[in-house]
Amino acid sequence: MAYGDGLDASQRGYGQETRRVERSPGSENQNPVGTFSSELPREPSPEPGCSNCLSLSLTRANARSAGNYSAVSDSNVELRRHQAEAHAS
């Protein structure tokens, strides 16, 4: 009651994040603007017979087993980049 309004900090919303969401008319069944999908993109699979793809996927597996998820993400980026350059159709 330091502010004299009779509200405690939780009632004022301190420490709580809020996000304003805008909707366009007719978008009731769509995700609101400013939201994110909770589904992650699929990890790239190594191309059969490619030693570079195999090496990158093994690096990713080792990083995951060590709990280094930053290195897992880095390996996914490198594998996608390699596949785009070497295996583009």
Side-chain angles (χ1 to χ4, degrees):
M1 295 210 337
Y3 294 96
D5 58 7
L7 301 176
D8 65 16
S10 66
Q11 292 170 317
R12 283 190 204 94
Y14 293 148
Q16 299 174 5
E17 292 185 27
T18 58
R19 182 175 205 166
R20 174 174 238 144
V21 176
E22 299 176 20
R23 290 186 179 268
S24 59
S27 66
E28 291 79 21
N29 295 328
Q30 299 174 358
N31 286 339
V33 175
T35 62
F36 305 98
S37 173
S38 61
E39 192 173 319
L40 297 173
R42 293 181 55 163
E43 289 187 335
S45 299
E47 290 289 326
C50 178
S51 61
N52 288 336
C53 285
L54 180 60
S55 175
L56 290 167
S57 66
L58 289 174
T59 300
R60 177 180 62 195
N62 289 337
R64 181 175 286 117
S65 68
N68 187 349
Y69 298 107
S70 178
V72 170
S73 178
D74 292 345
S75 295
N76 284 334
V77 169
E78 289 182 43
L79 186 53
R80 282 190 183 97
R81 186 174 295 142
H82 163 71
Q83 288 178 336
E85 293 171 359
H87 304 294
S89 302

